[in-house]
Amino acid sequence: MTVDLTNVFQQIDGDYENLKELLREAVAIQSVSGDPSKRDETIRMVHWMKEKLEAIGTVCELADLGTQELEGKTVKLPPVLLGTLGTDKNKKTLLVYGHLDVQPAAKSDGWDTEPFELVEKDGKLFGRGSSDDKGPVLCWLHAIRAAQKNNIELPVNVKFCFEGMEESGSVGLPELLEREKDRFLAGVDFVCISDSYWLGTKKPCLTYGLRGICSFFVEVTGIKQDLHSGVFGGVIHEPLQDLMWVMAQLTTVDNRIKIPGLYDQVAPLSAAEEKTYDDIEFDVAEFRDSVGAAHLPTEDKKTLLLRRWREPSLAFHGIEGAFYGPGEKTVIPSKVIGKFSIRIVPDMEPEEVNRRTVEYLNKVWAERGSPNIFKPRPGHSAKPWVVDVNDSNFLAGARAMKRVHGVEPDRIREGCSIPITLTFQELTGKSVLLLPLGAADDMAHSQNEKNNKWNYVEGVKTLLAYIMELGSA
Amino acid sequence: MTVDLTNVFQQIDGDYENLKELLREAVAIQSVSGDPSKRDETIRMVHWMKEKLEAIGTVCELADLGTQELEGKTVKLPPVLLGTLGTDKNKKTLLVYGHLDVQPAAKSDGWDTEPFELVEKDGKLFGRGSSDDKGPVLCWLHAIRAAQKNNIELPVNVKFCFEGMEESGSVGLPELLEREKDRFLAGVDFVCISDSYWLGTKKPCLTYGLRGICSFFVEVTGIKQDLHSGVFGGVIHEPLQDLMWVMAQLTTVDNRIKIPGLYDQVAPLSAAEEKTYDDIEFDVAEFRDSVGAAHLPTEDKKTLLLRRWREPSLAFHGIEGAFYGPGEKTVIPSKVIGKFSIRIVPDMEPEEVNRRTVEYLNKVWAERGSPNIFKPRPGHSAKPWVVDVNDSNFLAGARAMKRVHGVEPDRIREGCSIPITLTFQELTGKSVLLLPLGAADDMAHSQNEKNNKWNYVEGVKTLLAYIMELGSA
């Protein structure tokens, strides 16, 4: 019993100026969670959204998360907005997660326009948060408004969980959700998160996997304090020298990991799964040019996607304790900490990855033969996440996308980690769908973040179609 | 015709409270040349010293150096104090160089006392500049005062060149000296600088050599902007990965340089020169413990001193462009610049060292086989400096030290570079003597800088004896 949405979709197209106006208001609120001087704005953004949800009949509450220490100050954490729209016991319940905070932005960073003023140009809506994640959050609001305007009854109850700290590590949220397991999270049947991106710019997709992460710190010390390189150069074992040598033993030039046994833990790739990569629309040359590289370690589409999504990778982030400014400084740093992380995939277990990595580092260190003090240690870790592409939530998302875009969406994974996905899955025991609405070139976190007008409007339709499809899921 | 100084030395001992009071006044002036907010204090220090020199009959002038750009502001450079004491055409002329500015210091850096308040404790005078270089500069003043008080005629004319920018690269001084070559610097017969340290804490020494330096920047780039390590990890060639690998090819674990041919350029060590190392008082274990190392690449006294003074060394300083803060940041840096420098000794030529180093880096890079963009380039360089230990200026210094301390001073070199030494030598065409007064543990540039009461008082006697010895030089 599929409800025909043709007319509603036309109305949504016609309602564009209102959609844009609401996004303009949201972008203008400078809810930068990482900046303590903008904490009031971040809190204001949560209240602004609460009003909008209440206007469509949502019963809202603000869950207080207390305070945090930020740059030496004690600041209030933004509350989490928990909303309940419908409590019909005969209906299933969808939980929607999104975030209302944004990354920092300033025109002087290299933006072409003021980052907190929504500017439309060539079919693109420029502004911080337009795509990550204010745009998608507003798509939920518009989708439900459109249904209400047309007296279409939603086939599911909807709950909202919108936070204001996602860009700053979701401080306090996992603990809150843990506490809400048997109350707010009770009775949830489906979870949907729209906070990721399409693989390209044209074809829609659904995300069924995320890599996990294991972070590492490698500390080398051995001298009491930083030393003058003229006075001491040549007669001490330099910690930085040791550290760079050790780090250089971790990977090959083509970015393959040299830690023994790490690839052995990767779940075998079945012929069926491998075949799904054939149809995925992905232009390697476009990808290579977008990062500005001359060549990539592999330029075969399937191999490249497999490496991004279902193989571990090791990336170097930097060194703490050494000279990092411009120009010259003739110092020998006394204590340096190398930072790298390994993205992990099923069936890799963080504990096992940590163990093998530290073991390898210690083995390499023994070969180095330096008298300095070597302390490798794991940092934070997160498990990888993969969902069954045939589960009812996922299939509802696929049907919705086909209804709006006329094509079967690609099934993709992401190379990055969104730990809250796993938290929702574990606490609700239900399937989590990652339903991206934005294009790959939206430049989230970067200068000139934008949301295409087309993606924004089609996003509203997609979420409405998804909610309707859940009625038969 | 040696003047007996026994009584004068006793007077100097008895004058300690006045010596200390003058150092207290000088330390209290916060002449931190690197801090634009303290530029007025630095200028005030130059004026303060001018008054002191005028009080002993010096004809002074302030050489204006114009302005500099510092932290985005245009600030006035401190003038250079040029003084002339005596113009007797029948006497030779000594030029004394020293500096009136100091390194930054704050109690919060870990000082036990206020850095700009002179505090005497256990025979030590704590305070920023007490040893580097206000203490030695005041020793010159006291020495001449003591001679005048006792109606002892100085056997030489004395010129002073005291600057206020030494800790910030002596901005403007080389150019000023170049301009003064045929005026202020004309007729100079000897140059003396007291701005370095004894090799240990007990035995005096004279410095006859300094290493030069060649600085290098190694830039690796290849992607347009910093990338998310989850999304891009494993499918790009990381610049930081390449850089660490390349830097690791420059030295062995024992800090020997792997650049071919570099050691071949070192002047051969004659049996006679090697023999001079036998008598030098240097405690390897004390040195090792002072830096806090478990072991050193060599713990043989002679080998260690040779490596510090008359062999090249390569030190790594840090990396620009990578993450350097505490904690974790899952970014792949797009452009990184490695910083290292090579200390050079006679007969190494900076151009040759630069050429060989860049050549080796390019060879190693070719072996790496990365498609990233590699740009190694030399930074600033300075030639090494060595003086003849049998020249008359040097021997006058040695006789002075023996007169005050009763022992023949060690002849040492320094591993570091003091470029102004070479400037004076080249512009005057005369011998420059480095005559250190402070102990190796004075902690110049560090927390709790001090000058021993004993070194300060004996320093006055040493400089007086040196001036007198120049009469027969």
Side-chain angles (χ1 to χ4, degrees):
Chain A
M1 200 192 68
T2 310
V3 179
D4 183 5
L5 296 172
T6 317
N7 289 338
V8 189
F9 284 1
Q10 278 176 6
Q11 270 187 24
I12 291 170
D13 284 329
D15 201 30
Y16 172 65
E17 287 304 324
N18 288 324
L19 303 190
K20 182 178 159 186
E21 170 57 22
L22 213 64
L23 186 56
R24 195 196 56 73
E25 278 184 41
V27 164
I29 302 174
Q30 303 193 14
S31 51
V32 180
S33 55
D35 182 347
S37 77
K38 299 208 164 141
R39 186 51 56 88
D40 286 349
E41 283 288 275
T42 310
I43 293 170
R44 187 160 77 86
M45 182 68 207
V46 177
H47 286 267
W48 181 89
M49 193 65 209
K50 179 168 175 275
E51 276 175 35
K52 304 298 167 201
L53 286 186
E54 284 170 345
I56 58 167
T58 312
V59 177
C60 290
E61 50 186 314
L62 295 175
D64 184 40
L65 297 180
T67 61
Q68 69 166 167
E69 295 301 308
L70 197 59
E71 294 176 14
K73 290 175 220 158
T74 301
V75 291
K76 211 174 141 28
L77 281 164
V80 175
L81 175 57
L82 299 176
T84 303
L85 179 67
T87 54
D88 188 335
K89 291 211 160 61
N90 296 317
K91 290 179 182 172
K92 289 187 173 173
T93 299
L94 163 68
L95 172 68
V96 167
Y97 163 86
H99 66 93
L100 304 167
D101 60 320
V102 295
Q103 284 277 320
K107 189 144 192 290
S108 58
D109 292 342
W111 283 68
D112 295 329
T113 58
E114 284 297 335
F116 296 102
E117 284 176 21
L118 192 75
V119 174
E120 183 174 348
K121 200 183 159 191
D122 302 332
K124 295 175 181 131
L125 294 159
F126 292 94
R128 176 56 90 220
S130 59
S131 175
D132 180 18
D133 186 35
K134 290 177 178 178
V137 161
L138 293 180
C139 284
W140 289 108
L141 185 75
H142 294 311
I144 293 164
R145 269 188 180 174
Q148 290 175 345
K149 214 187 285 183
N150 289 277
N151 294 315
I152 299 172
E153 187 189 343
L154 300 187
V156 288
N157 303 311
V158 183
K159 287 191 174 187
F160 300 95
C161 172
F162 291 151
E163 68 158 321
M165 285 296 289
E166 198 271 347
E167 302 294 2
S168 302
S170 293
V171 180
L173 183 62
E175 296 76 11
L176 172 75
L177 294 175
E178 187 78 47
R179 291 193 299 273
E180 293 290 344
K181 185 172 188 287
D182 299 321
R183 194 192 67 101
F184 185 74
L185 294 182
V188 165
D189 298 285
F190 312 105
V191 182
C192 185
I193 301 176
S194 182
D195 186 25
S196 55
Y197 294 88
W198 291 0
L199 185 57
T201 55
K202 299 173 199 87
K203 196 174 170 191
C205 53
L206 290 173
T207 309
Y208 69 94
L210 296 169
R211 292 198 287 190
I213 189 170
C214 289
S215 292
F216 295 91
F217 298 90
V218 186
E219 182 184 308
V220 184
T221 184
I223 49 176
K224 271 203 289 220
Q225 60 190 72
D226 290 1
L227 297 175
H228 190 298
S229 68
V231 181
F232 298 93
V235 296
I236 59 152
H237 296 94
E238 297 187 12
L240 180 54
Q241 207 170 15
D242 285 339
L243 178 66
M244 292 191 300
W245 186 89
V246 168
M247 303 261 269
Q249 312 307 315
L250 284 163
T251 51
T252 68
V253 64
D254 280 338
N255 215 327
R256 303 297 283 170
I257 304 171
K258 290 165 82 177
I259 302 165
L262 222 59
Y263 290 105
D264 301 344
Q265 300 170 64
V266 177
L269 178 69
S270 71
E273 186 186 345
E274 188 175 350
K275 207 169 164 351
T276 64
Y277 282 77
D278 292 339
D279 292 333
I280 292 175
E281 203 169 292
F282 180 71
D283 186 329
V284 172
E286 189 180 274
F287 173 80
R288 183 194 60 219
D289 296 346
S290 75
V291 299
H295 302 286
L296 301 173
T298 175
E299 302 206 356
D300 173 67
K301 183 188 93 172
K302 193 187 290 182
T303 312
L304 193 154
L305 291 178
L306 286 169
R307 287 197 186 171
R308 282 179 80 184
W309 298 344
R310 75 176 321 287
E311 288 185 15
S313 67
L314 191 156
F316 295 98
H317 311 306
I319 292 173
E320 178 183 345
F323 173 56
Y324 57 83
E328 305 174 10
K329 186 181 183 189
T330 50
V331 71
I332 300 173
S334 61
K335 178 175 148 183
V336 285
I337 305 172
K339 318 276 178 89
F340 70 92
S341 65
I342 299 176
R343 297 286 163 169
I344 62 173
V345 295
D347 300 324
M348 298 170 83
E349 287 292 335
E351 296 69 27
E352 180 71 2
V353 173
N354 288 345
R355 189 186 64 73
R356 282 180 191 265
T357 304
V358 170
E359 198 172 281
Y360 177 71
L361 286 167
N362 281 327
K363 180 179 148 284
V364 161
W365 180 253
E367 287 166 18
R368 173 72 172 165
S370 165
N372 282 327
I373 299 161
F374 184 70
K375 283 188 199 154
R377 64 186 164 85
H380 99 280
S381 64
K383 291 181 185 176
W385 170 85
V386 179
V387 77
D388 177 5
V389 293
N390 292 314
D391 106 341
S392 59
N393 189 9
F394 200 90
L395 291 175
R399 287 197 303 276
M401 283 199 156
K402 187 154 190 195
R403 234 167 128 174
V404 173
H405 293 283
V407 294
E408 194 65 33
D410 278 337
R411 270 68 166 167
I412 69 160
R413 295 195 188 193
E414 286 276 3
C416 61
S417 317
I418 311 179
I420 210 71
T421 311
L422 209 60
T423 306
F424 280 117
Q425 184 175 299
E426 288 174 355
L427 291 176
T428 63
K430 295 295 160 61
S431 148
V432 179
L433 172 65
L434 297 188
L435 197 164
L437 299 179
D441 64 354
D442 275 0
M443 305 302 281
H445 293 211
S446 195
Q447 297 87 341
N448 299 319
E449 177 181 348
K450 59 87 182 164
N451 197 339
N452 295 324
K453 171 182 170 178
W454 179 76
N455 284 73
Y456 186 41
V457 175
E458 300 307 295
V460 176
K461 299 176 191 170
T462 303
L463 295 185
L464 175 58
Y466 165 65
I467 293 172
M468 298 312 293
E469 288 293 341
L470 283 178
S472 53
Chain B
M1 197 191 71
T2 310
V3 179
D4 184 5
L5 296 172
T6 317
N7 288 339
V8 189
F9 285 0
Q10 278 177 7
Q11 269 186 26
I12 291 169
D13 284 328
D15 201 31
Y16 173 63
E17 285 306 322
N18 288 323
L19 303 190
K20 181 178 160 186
E21 171 56 23
L22 213 63
L23 186 57
R24 193 196 59 71
E25 278 184 42
V27 165
I29 301 174
Q30 303 194 13
S31 51
V32 180
S33 55
D35 183 347
S37 78
K38 298 206 165 145
R39 186 50 57 88
D40 287 348
E41 283 288 274
T42 309
I43 293 170
R44 186 161 76 87
M45 182 68 207
V46 178
H47 286 267
W48 180 90
M49 192 65 209
K50 179 168 174 276
E51 277 176 35
K52 305 298 166 200
L53 286 187
E54 284 170 346
I56 59 167
T58 312
V59 177
C60 291
E61 51 186 314
L62 295 175
D64 185 39
L65 297 180
T67 60
Q68 70 166 165
E69 296 299 308
L70 197 58
E71 294 176 15
K73 288 174 222 160
T74 301
V75 291
K76 212 176 141 24
L77 281 164
V80 175
L81 175 56
L82 299 176
T84 302
L85 179 67
T87 54
D88 188 335
K89 290 209 159 66
N90 297 317
K91 290 179 183 174
K92 290 186 173 174
T93 299
L94 163 68
L95 173 66
V96 167
Y97 163 85
H99 66 91
L100 302 167
D101 60 319
V102 295
Q103 285 277 320
K107 189 143 192 289
S108 59
D109 293 342
W111 283 68
D112 295 329
T113 57
E114 284 298 336
F116 295 101
E117 285 176 21
L118 191 75
V119 174
E120 182 174 349
K121 201 182 158 192
D122 302 333
K124 294 173 180 134
L125 293 160
F126 291 95
R128 176 56 91 220
S130 59
S131 175
D132 179 18
D133 187 33
K134 291 178 176 177
V137 161
L138 293 181
C139 285
W140 289 108
L141 184 75
H142 294 312
I144 293 165
R145 269 189 180 175
Q148 291 175 343
K149 212 187 287 183
N150 288 276
N151 294 314
I152 299 172
E153 186 190 343
L154 300 187
V156 287
N157 302 311
V158 183
K159 288 191 174 187
F160 300 94
C161 172
F162 291 151
E163 68 159 321
M165 285 297 288
E166 197 271 347
E167 301 295 1
S168 301
S170 294
V171 180
L173 183 62
E175 295 77 11
L176 172 74
L177 294 176
E178 189 78 48
R179 291 193 298 275
E180 293 290 344
K181 185 170 186 288
D182 298 320
R183 194 192 66 101
F184 185 74
L185 294 183
V188 164
D189 299 284
F190 313 104
V191 182
C192 185
I193 301 177
S194 182
D195 187 25
S196 55
Y197 294 87
W198 291 359
L199 185 58
T201 55
K202 298 173 201 88
K203 196 174 171 191
C205 51
L206 290 174
T207 309
Y208 70 95
L210 297 169
R211 292 198 287 191
I213 188 170
C214 289
S215 292
F216 295 92
F217 299 89
V218 185
E219 182 184 307
V220 185
T221 185
I223 48 176
K224 270 203 288 221
Q225 59 189 75
D226 291 1
L227 298 174
H228 189 298
S229 68
V231 181
F232 298 93
V235 296
I236 58 153
H237 296 94
E238 298 186 11
L240 180 53
Q241 208 168 14
D242 285 338
L243 178 66
M244 292 191 300
W245 186 89
V246 168
M247 303 262 269
Q249 312 306 315
L250 284 163
T251 50
T252 68
V253 62
D254 280 338
N255 216 327
R256 303 298 282 172
I257 304 170
K258 289 164 82 177
I259 302 165
L262 222 58
Y263 290 106
D264 301 345
Q265 299 170 65
V266 177
L269 179 67
S270 71
E273 187 185 346
E274 187 174 350
K275 206 166 164 353
T276 65
Y277 283 77
D278 292 340
D279 291 333
I280 293 176
E281 201 169 293
F282 180 71
D283 185 329
V284 173
E286 188 180 274
F287 174 79
R288 184 193 61 220
D289 296 347
S290 75
V291 299
H295 302 287
L296 301 173
T298 174
E299 303 206 355
D300 172 67
K301 183 188 92 171
K302 192 186 293 182
T303 311
L304 193 153
L305 290 179
L306 287 169
R307 287 198 185 171
R308 282 178 80 184
W309 298 345
R310 74 174 325 286
E311 288 185 15
S313 66
L314 192 155
F316 295 100
H317 310 306
I319 293 172
E320 178 183 345
F323 173 57
Y324 57 82
E328 304 174 10
K329 186 180 183 190
T330 50
V331 72
I332 300 173
S334 61
K335 177 174 149 183
V336 285
I337 305 172
K339 318 276 179 88
F340 71 92
S341 65
I342 299 177
R343 297 284 164 170
I344 62 172
V345 296
D347 299 322
M348 298 171 82
E349 287 292 335
E351 296 70 27
E352 179 71 3
V353 172
N354 289 344
R355 189 186 64 74
R356 283 180 189 266
T357 304
V358 170
E359 198 172 281
Y360 177 71
L361 286 167
N362 282 327
K363 180 179 149 284
V364 161
W365 180 253
E367 287 165 18
R368 173 72 173 166
S370 165
N372 282 327
I373 299 160
F374 184 70
K375 284 187 199 154
R377 61 185 166 89
H380 97 278
S381 64
K383 291 181 185 174
W385 170 84
V386 179
V387 77
D388 176 5
V389 294
N390 292 313
D391 104 344
S392 59
N393 188 9
F394 200 89
L395 291 175
R399 287 197 304 274
M401 282 198 156
K402 185 153 191 197
R403 230 166 131 175
V404 173
H405 292 285
V407 293
E408 194 65 33
D410 279 337
R411 269 70 167 166
I412 69 162
R413 294 195 187 192
E414 286 276 2
C416 60
S417 318
I418 311 179
I420 209 71
T421 311
L422 209 58
T423 306
F424 279 117
Q425 184 175 299
E426 288 173 355
L427 291 176
T428 63
K430 296 295 160 61
S431 147
V432 179
L433 172 66
L434 297 188
L435 196 163
L437 299 179
D441 64 354
D442 275 1
M443 307 302 279
H445 293 210
S446 194
Q447 298 88 342
N448 299 319
E449 176 182 347
K450 58 89 181 163
N451 196 339
N452 294 324
K453 171 181 171 179
W454 180 76
N455 284 72
Y456 185 41
V457 175
E458 300 307 296
V460 176
K461 298 176 193 171
T462 303
L463 296 185
L464 175 58
Y466 165 65
I467 293 172
M468 298 311 294
E469 290 293 341
L470 283 179
S472 51

